[in-house]
């Protein structure tokens, strides 16, 4: 279920937010482009279910998490100084938060592994207009 009440409560904390219905890479790309910034995703921090990992393996599960759509969860950006306030808000609304990366230069969205090395991503998500 979409966390609508949590999303409304984010108004005073989040700098930008979007649902990831078209896939994390595609939708975070919209934030980065509109904000004229870059975004780094640490693929080792993506929340992956045990069932997905068991049935498809880490590589495919990661690809699904990055490019699959229809999750109807939020991707949002906020200042690191607001982490405690965000966690408190998440607990109030029974929402699990996972910090998966950071906003930085250069422009665009890219993925890294645990060591910070860039990794290739095979797809970018659903594209409405090609």
């Amino acid at each position: 279920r979409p966390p609508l009440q949590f999303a409304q409560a984010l108004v005073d904390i989040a700098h930008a937010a979007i649902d990831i219905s078209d896939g994390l890479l595609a939708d975070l790309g919209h934030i980065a482009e509109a904000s004229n910034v870059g975004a780094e995703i640490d693929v080792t921090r993506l929340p992956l279910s045990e069932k997905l990992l068991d049935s498809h393996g880490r590589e495919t599960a990661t690809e699904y998490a990055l490019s699959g759509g229809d999750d109807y969860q939020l991707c949002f950006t906020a200042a690191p100084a607001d982490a405690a306030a965000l966690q408190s808000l998440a607990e109030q609304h029974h929402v699990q938060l996972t910090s998966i990366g950071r906003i930085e230069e250069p422009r665009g969205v890219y993925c890294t592994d645990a060591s910070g090395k860039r990794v290739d991503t095979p797809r970018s998500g659903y594209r409405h207009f090609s």
Side-chain angles (χ1 to χ4, degrees):
R1 290 181 13 200
L4 298 177
Q5 291 178 333
F6 175 74
Q8 291 170 339
L10 278 176
V11 169
D12 294 328
I13 301 175
H15 296 173
I18 192 167
D19 70 83
I20 55 170
S21 59
D22 290 341
L24 177 59
L25 288 175
D27 288 322
L28 181 55
H30 297 315
I31 287 177
E33 184 177 333
S35 302
N36 200 30
V37 297
E40 172 189 339
I41 299 171
D42 178 346
V43 297
T44 64
R45 297 174 79 179
L46 293 171
L48 304 173
S49 74
E50 289 302 319
K51 280 187 172 186
L52 183 61
L53 288 167
D54 289 345
S55 64
H56 294 288
R58 180 158 303 278
E59 186 175 328
T60 299
T62 298
E63 180 182 333
Y64 288 167
L66 291 170
S67 62
D70 291 332
D71 286 328
Y72 302 102
Q73 293 298 317
L74 292 176
C75 174
F76 65 90
T77 64
D82 290 326
L86 285 167
Q87 188 58 46
S88 175
L89 193 64
E91 289 171 6
Q92 289 173 26
H93 292 276
H94 309 287
V95 172
Q96 177 184 337
L97 294 183
T98 305
S99 175
I100 61 167
R102 62 184 177 198
I103 299 298
E104 61 176 34
E105 297 296 329
R107 288 187 63 196
V109 177
Y110 60 94
C111 297
T112 59
D113 61 17
S115 68
K117 180 182 173 191
R118 285 193 185 195
V119 295
D120 290 330
T121 53
R123 295 187 288 171
S124 63
Y126 183 77
R127 299 185 80 175
H128 291 274
F129 307 101
S130 295

